[in-house]
Structures are given as structure tokens and as C-alpha cells.
Amino acid sequence: MEVAPTLLGAHLVVEAGGERVVARLTEVEAYHGAGTGDVPDPGSHARSGRSPRNATMWGEPGHLYVYLSHGIHACVNIVCAPEGVAGGVLLRAGEIIDGIDVATARRSRSGRAPAGRDLARGPGRLGQALGLTSTAHDGIDAITGVPQAGAIATLMLREAPVTLVARGPRVGVAGVAGTDAFPWRFWIPGDPTVSAFRWGRGAGPEAFGTRTAERAPEA
């Protein structure tokens, strides 16, 4: 969870199929796996331990855990825990600052030409805009830039972290994992590319008595 807010404002550069797209990260969510952290994370893919699907989460930090959501969307996470310990940060949204035409063409394949702020607003849209896929690019190294399946990914952190960060429950996560008990979503307040918040199934205030979906910015 400590790593997640430091990723805000960072640039993820992806060259896939000979085309380059750069996203400025504006919204992220932290997750960890079995045996990690002070409390279990029931919203994590690694909550029950290592599996073929989540194996990258248990690997070296700096690699990208790319998984398929609902059989459609490739979602991108940055592994951030030591090898053998499951921990990752889901990249929920970003602003495409380079390769806008490329990203727009990729997003338009889903049948609708996206508006500017919606180009990479949401984890599935971000993954599609970057050109990453779960089958080919899961495990790609975003630190060394070693090519994998025709793609190169590079994470470029800010020299100084973003000074204003908002935090709150994770978006659309079911049950207690999507409540104020897990305020592990971080975003740049006021940025138009940040996702709209929605409670997950059985996670709203009426279910667990949670107070709010957003918290005041932190210094």
C-alpha cells in the first residue's frame, strides 16, 4: 500500500507492435496476497495463495501482472513486493500523453470512438490503449525493458511524489474488500481521467456501515 500513491503521476511507456503509447498514471489500487500484510485481502487474486493465473504477483517487483477481466479486458498491475510475497498495484486510469492516435485506434476497435478523458479511464480501457494483452504480456519487465512478445514496457517514476493524493475504497470490489475497511484506492483529486466511483456488490454503506467513498487529500 505504501508504493501505490508513489505511482501517481508516473509515466508508463509501452512500445507494442512498433507503436508507442505513454500514459500518465492518475488512479491506482493496492492489493496483496495470502500471508502478506497485517490483514488478509479478500479482494485480491492472490488471497488463496499462488496459482497459474496470479503467479506473476509472487515474482520480482517491477514486472507487470496482466490479467483478463470478465473474459474481455486486459488489466495491468505493477508488482511491488519482494519476490515470493504477493503484492501489486492495479493501474485504474491514466492520461495518454503520447501516442494518442494509436491509443484511440486501439480503443475504437471495441466499437466506439472514445472521448479524450475516457481514452484510458478505467483499467480495461487503459490496458487496451497501451496495447498490452494478458496472454502475451503478463510478466513483462517494466524496469529493465526486456522485450516480451513484441512489446517493451518502461515505468518512469516522478522525481518527487505527487503532493496531493486522495484515497478511499476500491472501485467495484465486492463485499468487505470494497468498503472503507480497505481504503487502498489512490488518485489525483480533480483529474478528469479518474474513474467514477461505484460500490461493489454487497459493499455499500447499507451493507457494512461504511461512511464515505472518498477521503480528503493528503499532503
Side-chain angles (χ1 to χ4, degrees):
M1 190 169 63
E2 293 80 7
V3 174
T6 70
L7 295 174
L8 295 173
H11 292 178
L12 182 59
V13 183
V14 177
E15 297 179 32
E19 298 178 310
R20 183 176 186 266
V21 172
V22 182
R24 178 181 66 89
L25 305 180
T26 59
E27 180 188 11
V28 298
E29 287 178 345
Y31 292 85
H32 69 67
T36 307
D38 297 331
V39 295
D41 181 2
S44 172
H45 288 174
R47 61 185 176 274
S48 300
R50 188 191 300 261
S51 71
R53 183 195 191 197
N54 67 36
T56 298
M57 277 190 74
W58 300 83
E60 293 181 336
H63 291 249
L64 301 185
Y65 167 46
V66 186
Y67 70 90
L68 199 62
S69 175
H70 303 294
I72 302 172
H73 307 293
C75 298
V76 182
N77 301 253
I78 295 177
V79 178
C80 57
E83 186 172 8
V85 178
V89 178
L90 173 66
L91 308 184
R92 275 209 58 86
E95 176 193 11
I96 302 303
I97 59 173
D98 191 18
I100 293 175
D101 290 345
V102 173
T104 300
R106 288 173 177 162
R107 291 276 291 108
S108 297
R109 292 169 192 162
S110 59
R112 189 181 339 180
R117 75 169 190 169
D118 290 327
L119 192 53
R121 188 177 186 229
R125 294 173 177 176
L126 178 59
Q128 186 179 27
L130 290 171
L132 294 172
T133 66
S134 60
T135 52
H137 301 126
D138 180 35
I140 191 170
D141 192 338
I143 302 300
T144 64
V146 174
Q148 179 174 318
I152 297 173
T154 307
L155 177 66
M156 303 176 65
L157 297 173
R158 289 171 52 97
E159 291 186 5
V162 170
T163 55
L164 287 179
V165 175
R167 68 180 295 185
R170 297 177 292 198
V171 177
V173 177
V176 67
T179 70
D180 249 358
F182 293 86
W184 294 356
R185 172 185 172 233
F186 302 87
W187 68 95
I188 298 175
D191 193 292
T193 65
V194 172
S195 304
F197 180 80
R198 61 178 176 83
W199 295 109
R201 177 171 43 84
E206 68 283 354
F208 290 95
T210 52
R211 295 183 300 278
T212 179
E214 297 189 357
R215 304 247 177 132
E218 300 179 346

